[in-house]
Amino acid sequence: MILAAILPTTISMIISYVITTNSLKERAVVENMNLLYQGRMNLENDLEEMNRTSLSVYSDPEFYISLYYSHENINASGRQSATLQSINHAISGSKQVYLYVDGKREATLFAQDIARRMSDAALYDQIPDLSGKDYYIEPPRPVHTYGFQLSNPYPDSLQVMTMYRVIQRIPSSEQLGILAIDLDMSFISRISSQLFQPDHEQLYILNEDGYVMYSGNSSLISQKPREAWYNLIQESGTESGYFEHDDNIYIYDSIRTGLTDWTMIKEIPSSYILSSADKAAFINILLLAVSLLVIIAATIWISIHITEPIRKLVGVMSQVKSGRMTVDVSSPRKDEIGILHRRFGSMMDTINNLILQEYKLKLANRTNQLRVLQAQVNPHFLNNALQTIGTLALEHNMKRIYSLISALARMMRYSMYNTDKPVKLGTELDHIKDYVELQKERFENLFDFRYDVDESTVDILIPKMLVQPLVENYFKHGMNRMADDNYISVSTRRLSEDVVQIVVEDNGNGISEDKLATLKEQVQQLEMLDLEQLEVSDSDEADAAEHGIGLINIVTRMRLYYRDKSSFNMENVQPRGFRVVLTINVEGEAEDEGVDRR
């Protein structure tokens, strides 16, 4: 029992620890890759902005022309000072801007909001060799003033990163001068400091030459890393990724702009990521030790006080298993064993009740099945009765009555077989003719039925009862009994080989403009739904006609059957009347498969 309790628990702890550590590492990688991505985008935006700003030396014609004049030209020197001031103010973190014009051997420094000029000056000797380069970003270094004297010297601790741009005579590559922009480290640290926890993590930004442009450890700035992880990143050949080395996780991403091809690396100690898992593992081990002592004591007590009563209960269960469902399982004990006996007895009572209920349900289902069969008989009986009455009317030479009863019988037979299979349009139109025949008798020929059907359309397949509700709607709401020129028309035609149009039109009362607008809005909402969201309303016909649900159901059924290859349009006809146009795409449909011919 001790082994059965300890071994699974220990194995579970080990598995949980492994899964938890892997999950924590994966989550840390995903979160930090997203964090580096955001930092990369922000840095790239700032670097691109600095690049665009430095390129203003080409986009400003007046400045470009001023490079051909000396400082003695007031306009030229003023234009240069204004441009340097604009660049200094446009770039966040810019400390000073230096311009050297080769042909005039003149230098200008805009610093501390003042432009200083120097004539007959050599290029500042600490500027790196820019041969063959259009631009270069120098790793951070102590600030220098390019040979100028400042009224307020910079502190010795100030570090700047300098962006150099060679100004060329366009379109040739002849060098006209050099522009240098000094930026304090806030240019990078403002974004980089948000990407890591200085107390536990480390962040490095390396330039294309491998020098550290930024690091949480300031002593590493402008140095080349010597650690093995740097070589692993170089050998990976990928722009972004992660790996684990020396109990640290390294996540890296590339910063690629028109100026830079840098790499951002974040170093996270595995112990920092797994600290919560280690604490949980220690607590689990402590609990396991305590549990072991409790289990040993409980095992001894259980062996003495519980095993025997449980054996008796097992014997009772064996009797139940053999089919004796009325066995006595009561117990006078007040402890857990007694509760177990009473719960088992309650369970037996529940099982007996469920058996009885199951029997009653089966009996009720048999009764319901019988009622369903009876319900199926009644429509057949009515249909047969109508045929008998029609035959009797014919025997008494009452052909009109026979015609009406036959039409009603055909309508009942068409409606009685409530199937989801499609029908031919000709079958649906025959049903409409029978319906109209009965309505003519009802309204004493107060309307004219116009029937114009293209014979090439009668064999297309449509959902059952798709057109008939449109005709029925006229007699329920559209017909004007006071008029003597009432008509309703049903027409079909082929617009193309695969497109058929069905039009139902009348000159009745039409629909109010407000209700028509509401119906059109509902149709548009249906067209925006996915097919899985469509649902045919189960409202009765009276409610459907009153609230427009009948028309909406027709639209829904058309979309479900034709899969968005159909359209439904409705409009009022001037001076009075209502028109519904169904446009159906029958491309690729089977002619006879699954067709209801009744």
Side-chain angles (χ1 to χ4, degrees):
M1 292 180 63
I2 294 174
L3 290 176
I6 298 301
L7 285 179
T9 304
T10 304
I11 295 173
S12 176
M13 286 173 53
I14 295 173
I15 294 175
S16 298
Y17 180 77
V18 172
I19 293 176
T20 301
T21 55
N22 290 335
S23 176
L24 288 173
K25 289 180 180 180
E26 291 175 0
R27 184 173 64 182
V29 168
V30 172
E31 291 176 352
N32 282 281
M33 288 191 74
N34 292 334
L35 188 63
L36 289 187
Y37 173 79
Q38 294 296 330
R40 173 173 69 84
M41 296 301 295
N42 292 333
L43 283 173
E44 286 181 352
N45 289 336
D46 287 351
L47 290 168
E48 289 290 359
E49 180 63 26
M50 183 174 69
N51 184 31
R52 287 191 294 269
T53 302
S54 68
L55 286 172
S56 64
V57 298
Y58 292 105
S59 60
D60 186 347
E62 295 182 5
F63 172 81
Y64 196 72
I65 294 174
S66 72
L67 300 179
Y68 295 92
Y69 297 91
S70 67
H71 288 163
E72 296 176 356
N73 187 305
I74 298 176
N75 291 332
S77 61
R79 181 69 265 175
Q80 292 177 12
S81 299
T83 300
L84 297 184
Q85 179 181 9
S86 175
I87 292 174
N88 185 69
H89 290 164
I91 299 177
S92 175
S94 175
K95 299 297 294 183
Q96 57 188 10
V97 182
Y98 171 76
L99 173 67
Y100 182 79
V101 182
D102 292 2
K104 301 300 179 181
R105 290 179 54 82
E106 294 177 342
T108 304
L109 177 69
F110 184 88
Q112 300 175 354
D113 291 330
I114 298 175
R116 298 167 176 82
R117 300 176 184 85
M118 186 183 299
S119 299
D120 194 22
L123 179 67
Y124 190 61
D125 57 2
Q126 294 189 30
I127 292 179
D129 184 14
L130 301 179
S131 300
K133 298 179 181 179
D134 294 335
Y135 54 82
Y136 176 67
I137 297 181
E138 185 179 14
R141 54 166 174 75
V143 65
H144 49 61
T145 57
Y146 300 94
F148 288 86
Q149 296 294 327
L150 301 183
S151 57
N152 296 312
Y154 294 118
D156 295 338
S157 60
L158 179 62
Q159 296 258 323
V160 295
M161 179 182 69
T162 303
M163 183 263 181
Y164 298 97
R165 177 169 292 282
V166 176
I167 304 176
Q168 299 174 337
R169 186 192 304 273
I170 304 299
S172 70
S173 59
E174 178 186 351
Q175 179 174 315
L176 295 178
I178 292 177
L179 177 72
I181 305 172
D182 288 346
L183 303 108
D184 63 25
M185 292 308 294
S186 64
F187 177 78
I188 297 182
S189 61
R190 174 174 51 84
I191 297 174
S192 301
S193 60
Q194 302 175 7
L195 304 180
F196 71 109
Q197 297 291 335
D199 295 337
H200 306 284
E201 303 170 338
Q202 187 57 270
L203 183 73
Y204 308 93
I205 297 179
L206 309 182
N207 69 3
E208 51 273 11
D209 297 324
Y211 289 97
V212 177
M213 304 296 290
Y214 175 84
S215 173
N217 184 356
S218 58
S219 63
L220 299 177
I221 294 179
S222 299
Q223 304 295 322
K224 274 192 174 183
R226 301 182 182 273
E227 290 81 358
W229 56 261
Y230 175 64
N231 296 328
L232 293 175
I233 292 177
Q234 287 185 315
E235 294 170 0
S236 69
T238 58
E239 294 185 0
S240 62
Y242 70 94
F243 59 89
E244 193 168 355
H245 177 71
D246 286 343
D247 293 329
N248 292 316
I249 294 178
Y250 295 89
I251 304 169
Y252 60 94
D253 201 354
S254 297
I255 304 175
R256 298 189 183 277
T257 67
L259 293 173
T260 64
D261 186 8
W262 295 355
T263 304
M264 187 181 338
I265 305 105
K266 186 172 183 180
E267 177 186 85
I268 310 173
S270 298
S271 58
Y272 175 60
I273 297 176
L274 304 180
S275 59
S276 59
D278 293 338
K279 291 179 181 178
F282 174 77
I283 295 173
N284 287 336
I285 293 173
L286 184 62
L287 291 176
L288 181 62
V290 175
S291 299
L292 179 60
L293 297 176
V294 174
I295 289 172
I296 293 174
T299 301
I300 298 173
W301 185 83
I302 289 172
S303 299
I304 299 173
H305 295 89
I306 297 180
T307 303
E308 185 60 27
I310 289 180
R311 250 186 236 153
K312 292 181 180 179
L313 182 59
V314 170
V316 172
M317 292 179 178
S318 298
Q319 296 182 46
V320 173
K321 182 179 178 181
S322 63
R324 186 180 174 187
M325 305 299 293
T326 58
V327 64
D328 183 15
V329 292
S330 61
S331 173
R333 296 179 61 132
K334 303 298 184 182
D335 57 4
E336 288 79 1
I337 299 298
I339 293 175
L340 189 59
H341 277 79
R342 288 189 289 275
R343 293 291 173 85
F344 184 73
S346 175
M347 182 185 70
M348 293 308 303
D349 292 339
T350 301
I351 291 175
N352 288 329
N353 291 334
L354 288 175
I355 292 174
L356 181 60
Q357 291 176 8
E358 183 70 16
Y359 172 75
K360 291 182 177 179
L361 285 175
K362 287 184 178 180
L363 183 61
N365 286 338
R366 297 293 184 185
T367 303
N368 289 336
Q369 291 174 1
L370 179 60
R371 289 177 179 173
V372 170
L373 290 174
Q374 291 174 345
Q376 291 176 349
V377 171
N378 289 337
H380 289 283
F381 172 76
L382 291 176
N383 187 46
N384 293 335
L386 286 174
Q387 290 181 357
T388 302
I389 295 172
T391 302
L392 184 61
L394 192 60
E395 291 176 353
H396 287 76
N397 201 25
M398 298 179 180
K399 295 183 179 180
R400 182 56 179 165
I401 296 176
Y402 174 77
S403 175
L404 294 175
I405 290 177
S406 297
L408 180 59
R410 286 192 298 272
M411 287 182 62
M412 287 190 61
R413 184 165 59 253
Y414 182 79
S415 303
M416 184 170 55
Y417 295 101
N418 187 16
T419 175
D420 292 333
K421 293 181 180 179
V423 298
K424 290 185 176 181
L425 176 60
T427 305
E428 177 85 357
L429 295 175
D430 290 340
H431 174 68
I432 292 174
K433 289 179 182 179
D434 291 332
Y435 175 76
V436 171
E437 185 70 17
L438 292 173
Q439 294 294 357
K440 281 187 175 182
E441 189 67 24
R442 173 188 173 190
F443 292 106
E444 299 179 352
N445 291 318
L446 288 178
F447 66 93
D448 182 24
F449 178 54
R450 302 175 183 178
Y451 185 79
D452 182 14
V453 173
D454 186 346
E455 288 300 324
S456 66
T457 66
V458 296
D459 289 332
I460 70 166
L461 303 181
I462 64 170
K464 193 172 183 179
M465 301 296 286
L466 183 69
V467 184
Q468 191 271 346
L470 301 175
V471 178
E472 183 178 355
N473 191 57
Y474 166 70
F475 295 104
K476 286 187 175 182
H477 303 286
M479 184 174 178
N480 184 0
R481 301 191 183 187
M482 303 302 295
D484 55 1
D485 61 345
N486 293 314
Y487 76 86
I488 180 170
S489 69
V490 177
S491 61
T492 68
R493 60 172 177 159
R494 278 192 182 270
L495 301 181
S496 66
E497 182 179 355
D498 297 322
V499 180
V500 173
Q501 189 178 79
I502 304 173
V503 180
V504 178
E505 179 180 341
D506 63 69
N507 64 342
N509 298 322
I511 300 179
S512 67
E513 292 300 328
D514 291 342
K515 186 172 183 180
L516 181 60
T518 300
L519 288 175
K520 288 184 176 180
E521 182 179 355
Q522 292 175 349
V523 171
Q524 292 178 353
Q525 292 175 353
L526 281 177
E527 292 175 348
M528 296 173 62
L529 295 177
D530 295 334
L531 295 178
E532 292 78 4
Q533 297 176 297
L534 294 176
E535 182 178 355
V536 179
S537 173
D538 57 358
S539 303
D540 58 33
E541 294 181 0
D543 182 67
E546 180 66 25
H547 298 90
I549 299 177
L551 296 177
I552 298 303
N553 276 349
I554 290 175
V555 178
T556 302
R557 293 173 64 205
M558 287 178 65
R559 284 202 63 202
L560 289 172
Y561 184 78
Y562 294 106
R563 301 289 177 176
D564 292 331
K565 294 183 179 180
S566 65
S567 64
F568 178 94
N569 295 291
M570 53 186 167
E571 59 183 351
N572 282 323
V573 180
Q574 298 299 329
R576 59 188 176 91
F578 188 66
R579 179 189 297 122
V580 176
V581 181
L582 310 180
T583 306
I584 299 171
N585 191 321
V586 296
E587 178 183 1
E589 72 173 7
E591 294 185 358
D592 297 320
E593 182 179 356
V595 180
D596 186 0
R597 295 178 173 82
R598 286 178 270 192

